[in-house]
Amino acid sequence: MAVKDRMSGNEAVAVAMRQINPDVMGAFPITPSTEIPQYFSKYIADGLVDTEFVAVESEHSAMSTCIGASAAGARAITATSSAGLALMWELLYVASSSRLPITMAVVNRALTGPININNDHSDSMGCRDAGWIQIYAENNQEVYDNYIQAMPIAESCRLPIMICQDGFITSHAVENIELLDDADVKAFVGEYEPENYLLKAENPLAVGPYGVSPYYMEIKKAQAEAMKDAKTRILEVAKEYEKVSGRKYGFFEEYYMDDAEAAVVVIGSSAGTGKAAVDMLRAEGKKVGLIKLRVFRPFPMEELAAALSKVKAVAVMDKSEGFSACGGPIFAETRSALYDLAKRPMAVNYVYGLGGRDVTISTYEEIYDALFKMIETGQVGQVYRHIGVRDLEDR
């Protein structure tokens, strides 16, 4: 039986962890994800879970703990943000190449340079090619739901997974949320029974051996195939979860896309503001739509292209700077997805919200106005754009 409650996104993740009762948590505090291990360590102290909590000296050690535990056949979890995720960089590749289904909660925060503790997606987008499944949430309910779906996805694909939410925006804001019954979560996630693991005495196993040249590329190909196969598994788990929760999930959510002429692709909590802008502009008779991307790795290339195939112009919003001189990471993926369409929409990129810069309905109004101008003139103009940046010459 579902329970209605109010809680922050961080607490929602900790509650999901409690309901799952994993074997090992290795964690080191960093804003704004610190609350997750704080909440969870209290559950351990209160005897509500059987998890072994390993308090380590750094995020590098936190991921090392998870790798060792997962290789030994345990369910391993952690949580981190920003520079903490960056300190794990080397080990993210070890976890994925060793095919260890570690579940990590990432509370997105800007990477330092200059120092900033507010939200953008530069941390998780920076490790987008590390071989981890990446799923993003708009609100606290989705954070909770995504985390419960994470383990069945990761364990069947033998890939690690990160469940991402926006720092402070969802992690600390309190919202209404519907929790599943503890028994239902436990039944949905099930028991973890890996086929092979280090402590299985009857089947000696090496994890993370030296990858000599005759074998290294085959290992990477196997990882790539597993990531492609993850698309099917993500949808299967979502369908199973809908039966339990009544909430439907896919690779992305389409909002007023049926007859949209101008559309925006966005990820994370900013989608909520975007939907409000769409509602307002629709009331004015403007045919606008929005796609909220939920799954970034594996990237739903064909599905997203099909969803955008009927629009005339699309703006792809990146809450991280790619420093590619031609756009951000979501734009690069989306534009590539559109390439094979017989009739492609005009596409532009907007880098926005870096370091916690506000994103408002007016921000979206400006973007949709620019899209309709493109449709009217037939000219794309500058493709790589930034929005919400103060004009320094006017200071």
Side-chain angles (χ1 to χ4, degrees):
M1 180 178 178
V3 177
K4 293 185 178 180
D5 206 335
R6 297 180 183 88
M7 61 182 60
S8 69
N10 278 346
E11 186 176 4
V13 169
V15 168
M17 289 175 172
R18 176 188 62 75
Q19 292 176 316
I20 293 167
N21 192 13
D23 300 306
V24 176
M25 181 182 210
F28 187 84
I30 183 168
T31 302
S33 66
T34 302
E35 284 184 328
I36 295 175
Q38 281 181 331
Y39 280 121
F40 194 69
S41 62
K42 188 175 187 304
Y43 296 145
I44 296 172
D46 292 344
L48 300 179
V49 291
D50 306 313
T51 308
E52 182 73 24
F53 187 96
V54 184
V56 294
E57 75 280 3
S58 74
E59 291 85 358
H60 189 281
S61 297
M63 184 51 62
S64 295
T65 297
C66 290
I67 287 172
S70 185
R75 267 185 174 146
I77 63 169
T78 190
T80 194
S81 301
S82 185
L85 182 58
L87 191 55
M88 294 178 177
W89 235 255
E90 170 195 12
L91 294 167
L92 297 180
Y93 289 84
V94 175
S96 61
S97 65
S98 299
R99 305 295 296 277
L100 301 174
I102 297 163
T103 302
M104 175 162 57
V106 175
V107 184
N108 289 115
R109 169 190 143 187
L111 285 168
T112 292
I115 295 172
N116 185 291
I117 65 165
N118 298 307
N119 169 249
D120 66 30
H121 298 151
S122 55
D123 49 3
S124 58
M125 285 295 166
C127 58
R128 62 190 177 275
D129 297 330
W132 284 61
I133 296 169
Q134 289 192 6
I135 299 180
Y136 291 76
E138 175 189 343
N139 52 47
N140 300 9
Q141 184 70 64
E142 290 186 10
V143 173
Y144 172 79
D145 292 341
N146 287 345
Y147 197 90
I148 292 172
Q149 294 175 67
M151 285 184 182
I153 294 168
E155 289 169 2
S156 58
C157 298
R158 300 293 305 173
L159 289 174
I161 187 168
M162 59 180 72
I163 299 302
C164 304
Q165 65 168 312
D166 286 354
F168 297 108
I169 299 172
T170 62
S171 67
H172 285 64
V174 174
E175 294 181 352
N176 292 331
I177 188 170
E178 188 173 279
L179 304 173
L180 297 181
D181 183 79
D182 290 0
D184 289 338
V185 173
K186 193 67 178 174
F188 179 81
V189 175
E191 295 296 328
Y192 181 42
E193 298 178 354
E195 183 179 357
N196 296 300
Y197 49 93
L198 283 176
L199 300 183
K200 188 176 181 180
E202 64 271 27
N203 183 26
L205 178 72
V207 175
Y210 178 57
V212 294
S213 298
Y215 297 99
Y216 183 87
M217 193 165 176
E218 285 70 21
I219 293 169
K220 294 301 166 187
K221 177 65 161 52
Q223 280 182 256
E225 291 300 320
M227 187 63 79
K228 287 193 287 185
D229 292 343
K231 288 180 64 177
T232 299
R233 186 59 182 146
I234 287 168
L235 295 182
E236 289 174 349
V237 171
K239 188 172 291 187
E240 293 165 8
Y241 191 73
E242 184 181 2
K243 295 175 183 176
V244 176
S245 67
R247 293 182 288 276
K248 186 174 183 177
Y249 289 98
F251 296 134
F252 48 79
E253 176 189 344
E254 297 184 53
Y255 195 73
Y256 282 99
M257 286 297 294
D258 288 345
D259 64 343
E261 295 179 351
V264 162
V265 175
V266 67
I267 201 166
S269 64
S270 300
T273 307
K275 290 174 183 177
V278 169
D279 291 342
M280 186 185 72
L281 294 173
R282 280 278 173 174
E284 297 174 4
K286 297 179 180 178
K287 293 183 178 181
V288 297
L290 179 144
I291 290 181
K292 179 188 73 182
L293 197 59
R294 173 178 175 251
V295 178
F296 185 70
R297 283 289 182 270
F299 192 77
M301 187 173 184
E302 298 86 355
E303 295 83 359
L304 185 59
L308 292 170
S309 62
K310 295 180 182 178
V311 304
K312 297 177 181 178
V314 57
V316 182
M317 298 178 67
D318 272 286
K319 213 173 190 179
S320 61
E321 176 53 76
F323 299 115
S324 65
C326 57
I330 302 175
F331 178 66
E333 303 279 6
T334 303
R335 203 182 197 196
S336 174
L338 297 175
Y339 182 80
D340 290 327
L341 290 177
K343 185 178 180 182
R344 294 187 292 272
M346 293 180 284
V348 291
N349 183 213
Y350 282 93
V351 176
Y352 76 103
L354 302 183
R357 183 62 56 90
D358 283 344
V359 181
T360 67
I361 288 176
S362 296
T363 307
Y364 282 92
E365 281 188 281
E366 184 178 341
I367 292 172
Y368 283 116
D369 284 347
L371 291 177
F372 281 116
K373 185 176 181 180
M374 287 163 49
I375 294 170
E376 181 182 348
T377 63
Q379 301 296 317
V380 174
Q382 185 177 355
V383 172
Y384 174 30
R385 310 176 183 188
H386 291 72
I387 194 165
V389 182
R390 291 177 294 111
D391 189 343
L392 300 183
E393 294 180 359
D394 292 339
R395 294 203 314 173

